[in-house]
């Protein structure tokens, strides 16, 4: 039997039949027929058979129709499934904070890419929390049967197909979701840019897998909304308020007064202020908000170098809030910064003596304030 041996006959009309118009053809040595209610339907089907025979398509001996007509429909991949696969692919090569940023961006845009009329929609805050903790965190899958697993099942069923993102209207909905916080206020411009980079990478991954013809973000004209740079004075502590706070800290925890003084007067990050301790981070306060959300319980994260910095590079910070001699060289601060003020705008007063009670901060003969080990390069 030859699947390419096809003959299509004229349409035959049979009276007193519910479907009187019959299309007859012979494929692979077998005669086939199919009846229709109207002649137009029969003509359309016969024309498709003739077109397939002229294109040289192989006919199936069992059905008599072209084999390509009976192929199973490709599985529809939803955005939820593609985003989860993208998170699994990127996870091993990302650092802790980059993993959190990836999960946050995908959890922000995924609720916007669900069917609007889906029933039993979970609470927005709860949905985003579960997506962040479990859907886009391969290391923490949800327990079967748990409320988190039920929310993930809803997100999986309500998610739109990836192909819908080729529609500019759907894509703009996703981009708009990146610009908003949970309370509906506008997010910072840097946050929007960071999340858009993650969305661009996920769509590029879908294009590589053949789910999209190309990355639709490359062809859409969209700009990041600029947020206002104005600072509300009502939410910023004044110099007098900071001085009062440091005095209160000095009365309750004298060893932490200089630590918080460094955060305000020297504008240090918590991990940078901890690095100034002569005895290392073992005596530092536990600042979980500055650590990485990797599940580690040790304190070794404090000793890591700054991002994008070589082991020999260092950040210069004003040391006047910590030590009266101001620096590694032992030269007084007034001599090294003549004509330059290290105070923040608003001319805050000099730190009180109680702010110098950090371990060995102002003791004679103490190690230098930077407490930085010698550079291995010499």
């Amino acid at each position: 039997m030859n699947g390419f041996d096809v003959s299509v006959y004229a349409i035959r009309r049979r009276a007193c039949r519910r479907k009187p118009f019959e299309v007859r053809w012979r494929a692979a040595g077998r005669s086939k027929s199919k009846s229709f209610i109207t002649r137009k339907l029969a003509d359309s089907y016969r024309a498709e058979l003739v077109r397939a025979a002229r294109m040289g398509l192989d006919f199936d001996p069992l059905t008599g129709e072209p084999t390509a007509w009976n192929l199973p429909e490709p599985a529809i991949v939803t955005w939820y499934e593609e985003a989860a696969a993208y998170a699994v692919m990127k996870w091993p090569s990302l650092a802790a904070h980059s993993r959190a940023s990836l999960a946050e961006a995908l959890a922000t845009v995924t609720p916007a890419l669900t069917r609007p009329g889906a029933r039993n929609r979970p609470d927005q805050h709860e949905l985003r929390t579960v997506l962040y903790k479990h859907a886009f965190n391969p290391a923490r899958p949800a327990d079967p049967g748990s409320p988190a697993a039920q929310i993930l099942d809803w997100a999986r069923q309500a998610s739109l197909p990836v192909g819908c993102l080729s529609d500019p209207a759907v894509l703009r909905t996703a981009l708009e979701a990146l610009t908003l916080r949970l309370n509906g206020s506008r997010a910072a411009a840097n946050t929007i840019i960071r999340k858009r980079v993650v969305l661009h990478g996920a769509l590029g991954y879908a294009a590589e897998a053949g789910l999209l013809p190309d990355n639709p973000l490359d062809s859409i004209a969209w700009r990041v909304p600029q947020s206002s740079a104005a600072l509300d004075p009502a939410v910023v502590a004044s110099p007098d308020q900071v001085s009062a706070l440091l005095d209160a800290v000095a009365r309750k925890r004298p060893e932490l007064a200089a630590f918080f003084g460094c955060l305000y007067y020297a504008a240090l990050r918590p991990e940078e202020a901890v690095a100034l301790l002569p005895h290392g981070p073992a005596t530092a306060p536990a600042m979980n908000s500055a650590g990485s959300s990797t599940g580690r319980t040790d304190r070794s994260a404090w000793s890591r170098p700054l991002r994008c910095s070589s082991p020999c590079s260092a950040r210069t910070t004003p040391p006047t809030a910590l030590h009266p001699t101001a620096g590694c060289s032992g030269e007084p601060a007034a001599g090294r910064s003549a004509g330059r003020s290290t105070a923040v705008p608003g001319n805050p007063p000099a730190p009180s003596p109680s702010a110098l009670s950090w371990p060995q901060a102002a003791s004679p003969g103490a190690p230098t304030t930077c407490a930085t080990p010698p550079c291995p390069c010499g």
Side-chain angles (χ1 to χ4, degrees):
M1 293 184 297
N2 187 359
F4 297 95
D5 185 9
V6 181
S7 300
V8 182
Y9 306 118
I11 297 176
R12 182 175 62 179
R13 181 173 183 177
R14 298 180 299 174
C16 302
R17 298 289 183 95
R18 190 176 67 88
K19 296 181 179 181
F21 300 97
E22 182 184 22
V23 178
R24 298 174 298 125
W25 74 98
R26 186 177 182 84
R30 297 184 179 184
S31 298
K32 299 292 181 180
S33 65
K34 192 171 184 179
S35 300
F36 297 88
I37 297 178
T38 63
R39 177 173 287 276
K40 290 184 177 180
L41 293 177
D43 286 337
S44 298
Y45 185 78
R46 182 179 180 279
E48 292 295 333
L49 292 177
V50 173
R51 184 181 297 108
R54 290 177 177 177
M55 294 176 59
L57 298 182
D58 183 22
F59 279 66
D60 187 357
L62 297 179
T63 62
E65 296 179 337
T67 306
W69 291 10
N70 300 318
L71 293 178
E73 293 291 334
I76 298 177
V77 180
T78 63
W79 163 255
Y80 175 90
E81 296 171 341
E82 196 279 333
Y86 177 70
V88 172
M89 185 271 296
K90 295 288 291 184
W91 198 262
S93 61
L94 295 179
H97 287 292
S98 298
R99 291 175 177 178
S101 178
L102 173 73
E104 179 187 7
L106 295 178
T108 301
V109 71
T110 298
L113 297 178
T114 55
R115 295 193 305 273
R119 296 183 178 180
N120 302 324
R121 188 180 188 88
D123 177 71
Q124 186 74 1
H125 179 76
E126 187 177 7
L127 175 60
R128 185 179 295 189
T129 301
V130 173
L131 291 173
Y132 174 81
K133 290 184 176 180
H134 302 291
F136 307 123
N137 187 350
R140 297 179 58 186
D143 297 331
S146 63
Q150 297 177 2
I151 293 177
L152 294 182
D153 289 340
W154 179 92
R156 187 180 297 104
Q157 296 175 6
S159 181
L160 295 175
V162 178
C164 294
L165 288 168
S166 297
D167 186 357
V170 177
L171 189 57
R172 286 185 177 275
T173 301
L175 292 172
E176 183 64 22
L178 297 180
T179 66
L180 301 177
R181 297 189 180 98
L182 274 174
N183 58 6
S185 60
R186 183 74 65 183
N190 290 338
T191 302
I192 300 173
I193 293 174
R194 172 172 53 82
K195 292 182 178 181
R196 185 187 181 280
V197 170
V198 176
L199 178 61
H200 187 275
L203 294 177
Y205 183 68
E208 292 179 4
L211 302 177
L212 292 172
D214 53 10
N215 196 324
L217 272 183
D218 295 335
S219 58
I220 188 171
W222 185 83
R223 301 183 64 180
V224 176
Q226 297 298 324
S227 58
S228 176
L231 190 63
D232 186 5
V235 300
V236 179
S238 65
D240 293 337
Q241 291 174 333
V242 172
S243 180
L245 290 174
L246 291 178
D247 291 339
V249 172
R251 289 192 299 269
K252 295 183 179 181
R253 295 288 298 275
E255 68 277 8
L256 297 183
F259 172 79
F260 290 105
C262 288
L263 302 187
Y264 180 76
Y265 292 109
L268 297 183
R269 301 171 182 169
E271 55 267 34
E272 294 172 339
V274 168
L276 298 178
L277 281 171
H279 300 296
T283 60
M287 302 293 292
N288 294 332
S289 60
S292 303
S293 56
T294 58
R296 293 162 49 188
T297 58
D298 57 87
R299 302 284 304 284
S300 59
W302 297 110
S303 59
R304 293 181 299 176
L306 297 177
R307 182 180 296 179
C308 302
S309 63
S310 63
C312 300
S313 62
R315 174 178 292 183
T316 303
T317 54
T320 55
L322 177 67
H323 201 287
T325 58
C328 304
S329 62
E331 182 182 354
R336 296 176 61 234
S337 58
R340 181 180 59 184
S341 174
T342 58
V344 296
N347 297 325
S352 60
S354 61
L356 302 176
S357 58
W358 209 6
Q360 299 186 8
S363 60
T368 57
T369 57
C370 68
T372 305
C375 178
C377 302

